[in-house]
Amino acid sequence: MYNVMSPKAEEFISHEEILESLAYAEANKMNRELIDRILEKARERKGLSHREAAVLLDCGLEDKNQEIYELAQQIKKDFYGNRIVMFAPLYLSNYCINGCEYCPYHLKNKHIARKKLTQEEIVKEVMALQDMGHKRLALEAGEDPVNNPIEYILECIHTIYGIKHKNGAIRRVNVNIAATTVENYQKLKDAGIGTYILFQETYHKESYEKLHPTGPKHDYAYHTEAMDRAMDGGIDDVGLGVLFGLNNYRYDFTGILMHAEHLESYKGVGPHTISVPRLRRADDIDPDVFDNGISDEIFAKIVACIRIAVPYTGMIVSTRESKACREKVLHLGISQISGASRTSVGGYAEEEPEEENSAQFDVSDNRTLDEVVRWLMEMGYVPSFCTACYREGRTGDRFMTLLKSGQIVNCCHPNALMTLKEYLEDYASEETKAIGEKLIEGELDVITNPKVKEKVMDYLANIHNGKRDFRF
Ligand code: SF4
Ligand code: SF4
C-alpha cells in the first residue's frame, strides 16, 4: 500500500503506485488538456507530483515537449541563474564486498587492481586537486568493513580538511559510501561532511535484488531507507541518484521523485541534489547485458522533467557524459558538474599505469579543469567554487527556506564571482583568466543591491591583493 509517510521502503516506493503512474502517463501522453493543466501548475514553480511528472516525461505532443524544455530552462535560470558549481570525485578505496553486477569493483572481479589510499597518499591527491583549483570533493569508497571501516573514512575526512597547501583548501567534503547505521551517520555529521550521497541504482525491487545478488547491498529495504537514517543521524543534506540504463527509465524516474516526496513529507526536507548518471562501459562488465541504455534525447527529457518537478533540488552530471551531452543538458537544469575527474583510486597526483587500472568507469569528458572552466565561461556560465552555505550553517530546512524565498540568489551570485576570482588568480591559464575577468566585470551588473555590489567589489579587490575566502 502506497504511503508517502511510511518509514518502510516498500510503502513509500510502492511498486503498484509506480505501475499505476506509468499506466496513467501512457494513457494521457496525448491528452493536451491534462498536459496544459500540469504545465500551468509547473509554472508556479512549486514542483509536481511524481504522477504529473511522469505524464510530462511521456508526453508525445511535439509543441508541448517544446514548452517543457522552455519551462525547464526558465526554472533553471530563475533558481540557479547562469552559475554552475564545480566539484571533483576522490576515490579512496575500491575494496568492496558487494556483488553489484554493473560495477567493476564487485567482489568477484579478480583482475582489477585493488587499492586503498593511505593518509600520505590522500595528502598528495588532495594537494594535486587543490593545485587544479578544486574546493569541493565527493569521496567515494566501496563497502568493506575490514578495509574501509567508518574509522578509515572519518580519518580521511579529517586529513582532507586539514590540508592547507598554498592558497588551496577543500572547503566541503561530500561523501558517497554504502548505506550504514544512524550511529555512523552521526559520526559523518560530526566529521563535518556536506552532503551524504547514495545512489539507489534502481527502485525496482526485483531488478535491484538480481543486480545485487550478494553482499549487504542486496537488502533493498536497508538501502532504500538509508536516507531516513542519515537524516536521523543529523545529516540535513542528502543526494539521491539512479543509474539510468539498469532498468526501465520511466520506472526509476517515477521512483526517484517518490523518494524525494517521501523525504520532504516525512523528514521535512527534500533531497539536496539528484544525480543523473548513465551506465558506462567498465572493466569486467558485459556491455551487451547492460544495454538498457537511454538515448541523449531521452536523457535530456529526464533532466528537464526533474528540473520542473523538483525546482529546489540541485542536479548533478558527471564526466560519465561527453562534452556534447553535458552542453545539451546544462541549460535544462544541471546546477553542478565535475571537472577533470579521475575515476580510479588515486590518479590525480600521478597518472595510473595502464596495467594497474583501478577505474570504476570510463570517463567521457577528459578535459582539464582549466578547459572545463573556460568552456563554461565561453557559453556564458559562471563556474562557481562556492561552498558557503554549509559553512554558514545554511543546511537542510534553513537552506530550503532561503531557496524557496528566492533570497539565496543574493548569496550564490556574489559567492560565485568571488570564488571564480580566486580560481582565476591562483590556477587559471592566461587565456582563461582574460575571459574570466571580463565575465566577472559584466556579471557585477547583475547584482542589483548597491550595498552588496560595493561589498563584492571590495572583496574582489582584496582577493586580487592575496586575501582569500570571503563569502555571503
Ligand atoms: Fe561496491 Fe559500490 Fe561498486 Fe557496488 S557499486 S560493487 S557497492 S563500489
Ligand atoms: Fe550553493 Fe549556497 Fe554557494 Fe549558493 S551560496 S552556490 S546555494 S553553497
Side-chain angles (χ1 to χ4, degrees):
M1 181 67 78
Y2 176 47
N3 179 2
V4 71
M5 295 293 279
S6 169
K8 289 189 186 151
E10 282 178 69
E11 292 180 3
F12 66 80
I13 307 287
S14 153
H15 177 61
E16 290 70 32
E17 172 59 24
I18 296 183
L19 292 186
E20 277 174 32
S21 299
L22 296 188
Y24 177 76
E26 171 69 26
N28 287 293
K29 66 182 183 190
M30 305 301 267
N31 183 341
R32 187 171 288 275
E33 205 185 311
L34 176 70
I35 292 166
D36 272 337
R37 274 208 309 274
I38 296 173
L39 279 167
E40 205 46 49
K41 180 177 170 192
R43 285 195 185 91
E44 291 169 20
R45 289 150 171 69
K46 292 199 177 106
L48 294 176
S49 71
H50 58 273
R51 210 172 258 221
E52 291 161 337
V55 173
L56 294 191
L57 187 68
D58 264 8
C59 169
L61 299 166
E62 240 353 277
D63 56 329
K64 293 294 142 193
N65 278 332
Q66 212 40 50
E67 276 183 46
I68 290 170
Y69 286 122
E70 280 162 19
L71 181 58
Q73 278 185 50
Q74 197 52 49
I75 290 178
K76 155 89 204 245
K77 258 192 213 146
D78 295 348
F79 282 79
Y80 303 90
N82 54 351
R83 297 172 300 278
I84 302 285
V85 170
M86 310 298 301
F87 77 98
L90 175 61
Y91 283 73
L92 300 176
S93 165
N94 65 358
Y95 284 93
C96 192
I97 57 168
N98 284 312
C100 313
E101 299 211 329
Y102 48 85
C103 173
Y105 294 170
H106 66 79
L107 183 66
K108 286 193 190 137
N109 186 356
K110 297 295 177 209
H111 49 82
I112 196 166
R114 296 285 171 179
K115 292 185 193 166
K116 170 186 167 181
L117 296 180
T118 63
Q119 300 308 306
E120 291 71 35
E121 285 167 334
I122 287 174
V123 172
K124 280 193 201 149
E125 289 294 300
V126 170
M127 276 171 28
L129 282 155
Q130 289 183 358
D131 282 342
M132 286 181 206
H134 279 296
K135 300 281 187 273
R136 184 187 278 249
L137 296 186
L139 300 189
E140 317 273 342
E143 179 167 16
D144 186 329
V146 174
N147 287 297
N148 323 327
I150 190 74
E151 291 71 26
Y152 169 70
I153 307 290
L154 297 171
E155 193 186 359
C156 296
I157 297 168
H158 183 73
T159 301
I160 293 167
Y161 277 135
I163 301 167
K164 299 281 175 283
H165 162 64
K166 299 183 187 161
N167 279 337
I170 297 303
R171 298 172 180 158
R172 179 178 177 127
V173 174
N174 297 332
V175 174
N176 179 356
I177 59 163
T180 184
T181 59
V182 174
E183 200 190 1
N184 283 346
Y185 287 124
Q186 268 162 354
K187 291 180 186 168
L188 288 170
K189 163 82 181 167
D190 294 343
I193 70 160
T195 311
Y196 171 64
I197 304 158
L198 181 69
F199 294 166
Q200 179 64 30
E201 322 297 6
T202 174
Y203 284 94
H204 189 271
K205 185 170 182 256
E206 209 183 307
S207 308
Y208 180 95
E209 286 171 349
K210 275 195 200 131
L211 289 160
H212 306 97
T214 54
K217 197 167 167 181
H218 178 74
D219 188 336
Y220 175 84
Y222 190 74
H223 188 82
T224 312
E225 293 159 12
M227 294 313 193
D228 292 12
R229 290 195 301 281
M231 287 188 167
D232 291 342
I235 297 175
D236 294 326
D237 294 342
V238 298
L240 304 180
V242 289
L243 187 49
F244 284 106
L246 285 182
N247 180 50
N248 177 315
Y249 72 89
R250 291 182 173 91
Y251 192 102
D252 283 331
F253 169 87
T254 311
I256 206 165
L257 292 179
M258 286 168 79
H259 200 169
E261 286 164 10
H262 166 70
L263 292 174
E264 173 120 33
S265 308
Y266 185 55
K267 295 289 175 192
V269 191
H272 193 67
T273 52
I274 287 182
S275 298
V276 286
R278 273 195 290 184
L279 205 58
R280 293 279 305 152
R281 206 176 67 78
D283 178 75
D284 201 40
I285 301 303
D286 184 348
D288 296 333
V289 177
F290 292 106
D291 195 21
N292 234 333
I294 51 171
S295 66
D296 285 358
E297 203 175 303
I298 289 173
F299 186 61
K301 185 102 186 262
I302 289 173
V303 170
C305 291
I306 293 178
R307 180 69 301 137
I308 292 173
V310 282
Y312 308 115
T313 301
M315 228 194 296
I316 303 177
V317 71
S318 77
T319 51
R320 281 172 188 262
E321 298 301 336
S322 66
K323 173 176 175 259
C325 178
R326 299 218 284 178
E327 208 162 306
K328 192 167 172 191
V329 293
L330 273 177
H331 66 289
L332 291 176
I334 299 298
S335 57
Q336 274 190 48
I337 65 168
S338 48
S341 302
R342 295 278 180 276
T343 55
S344 49
V345 183
Y348 287 109
E350 269 172 55
E351 197 77 39
E352 189 175 59
E354 186 84 9
E355 64 282 8
E356 283 179 26
N357 180 22
S358 68
Q360 193 186 30
F361 59 87
D362 285 356
V363 165
S364 289
D365 186 342
N366 286 303
R367 291 170 297 164
T368 64
L369 187 59
D370 190 71
E371 285 167 336
V372 174
V373 165
R374 189 161 68 234
W375 161 73
L376 285 172
M377 295 192 303
E378 280 168 349
M379 290 188 293
Y381 291 106
V382 180
S384 171
F385 294 86
C386 178
T387 54
C389 281
Y390 144 79
R391 297 164 76 223
E392 291 291 317
R394 293 193 297 255
T395 58
D397 53 353
R398 279 196 63 201
F399 171 77
M400 284 297 170
T401 309
L402 205 64
L403 192 65
K404 289 180 184 176
S405 70
Q407 293 304 310
I408 193 78
V409 69
N410 297 326
C411 301
C412 295
H413 198 65
N415 287 338
L417 299 184
M418 294 188 300
T419 55
L420 176 60
K421 175 74 174 166
E422 287 186 341
Y423 176 82
L424 299 178
E425 291 286 339
D426 292 335
Y427 310 105
S429 64
E430 282 310 312
E431 192 188 346
T432 302
K433 195 170 174 182
I435 298 171
E437 293 291 357
K438 213 164 147 208
L439 181 81
I440 291 176
E441 216 182 293
E443 289 291 327
L444 281 170
D445 292 337
V446 178
I447 305 171
T448 44
N449 182 326
K451 277 198 185 133
V452 175
K453 190 170 172 179
E454 200 179 312
K455 222 169 170 183
V456 175
M457 287 171 74
D458 181 44
Y459 287 159
L460 288 172
N462 270 294
I463 293 169
H464 180 65
N465 291 327
K467 297 236 170 65
R468 295 289 175 268
D469 205 11
F470 297 101
R471 59 179 181 264
F472 284 87

